[in-house]
Amino acid sequence: LLSVDRPLARKMAAAWPRGTTRVARSLFGDALRDGLVEQNPFSQLRLETPKGRKDIDALTEAEIHDLATIAERVHDDYGPEAAAIIVTLGYVGPRPGELCVLRRDDLDVGARELTVRFTLDGTGREKPPKNGKPRVVTVPPPALNAIARIPLRLNSPYLFHTPRGRRLSKIPSLS
């Protein structure tokens, strides 16, 4: 512990995930309170914090439409489904893992609602969504229209698929 000075702490923190740096700061804080070190080299490093989602520039409605049109054109028979994925992501806003496991039964066309019940974990298994509870989201007409154009797959309960008809993974493969 005594060999970690402020310059080394800064170097270590720059190489570590943010959560690891927080743990190190807490551990050194405990060591300081217990009298094992004279200072916490990880406190007040003033590291650049990630901006997160607050500075994201969302696509405009026209950009969503243009992207979906291009996807439909370049993906031949899979085009309507590729376009529907883009439009659903753009208008409804599910997380990628949630999009992968949306089922046809989750969509209530009459009420224009979609119930998000599951997401994918890091191993590809289904689990409850982020807060553990299903949520109902509104599906605007452009997304409903795009989904309606997807050919029905009787052998799958899922709303969206890969070009080969499999369930999507977190990073949809359009090849």
Side-chain angles (χ1 to χ4, degrees):
L1 293 175
L2 297 174
S3 66
V4 181
D5 59 7
R6 198 156 181 77
L8 179 58
R10 180 175 291 283
K11 183 177 179 182
M12 293 166 78
W16 288 344
R18 202 141 162 75
T20 304
T21 304
R22 283 194 295 267
V23 169
R25 184 175 51 240
S26 294
L27 290 174
F28 269 89
D30 289 344
L32 179 64
R33 282 187 293 282
D34 292 342
L36 299 174
V37 294
E38 292 183 18
Q39 67 173 351
N40 183 346
F42 287 93
S43 68
Q44 299 178 2
L45 286 178
R46 304 206 194 294
L47 298 171
E48 185 176 330
T49 56
K51 303 218 186 263
R53 295 184 207 172
K54 65 183 175 185
D55 291 336
I56 290 177
D57 289 326
L59 295 177
T60 66
E61 198 168 346
E63 290 169 332
I64 293 168
H65 173 74
D66 291 347
L67 186 58
T69 300
I70 291 167
E72 186 161 2
R73 186 173 56 238
V74 301
H75 289 290
D76 302 320
D77 292 341
Y78 184 68
E81 194 155 349
I85 289 170
I86 291 166
V87 172
T88 300
L89 286 167
Y91 280 90
V92 181
R95 294 175 179 90
E98 295 170 346
L99 176 93
C100 297
V101 292
L102 289 174
R103 292 167 171 76
R104 287 189 308 269
D105 293 348
D106 295 334
L107 179 65
D108 182 340
V109 175
R112 296 191 318 212
E113 293 178 339
L114 182 67
T115 303
V116 178
R117 300 175 200 278
F118 300 100
T119 190
L120 291 181
D121 67 14
T123 66
R125 284 182 275 194
E126 295 182 23
K127 66 176 190 173
K130 189 172 182 177
N131 71 351
K133 299 176 186 174
R135 71 179 185 284
V136 178
V137 293
T138 301
V139 183
L144 285 174
N145 294 338
I147 292 168
R149 296 186 58 233
I150 300 173
L152 183 63
R153 295 179 190 259
L154 298 176
N155 62 342
S156 172
Y158 298 105
L159 195 55
F160 301 113
H161 305 85
T162 68
R164 293 188 176 136
R166 297 185 187 122
R167 185 195 74 191
L168 294 172
S169 60
K170 274 195 178 182
I171 302 173
S173 170
L174 300 180
S175 58

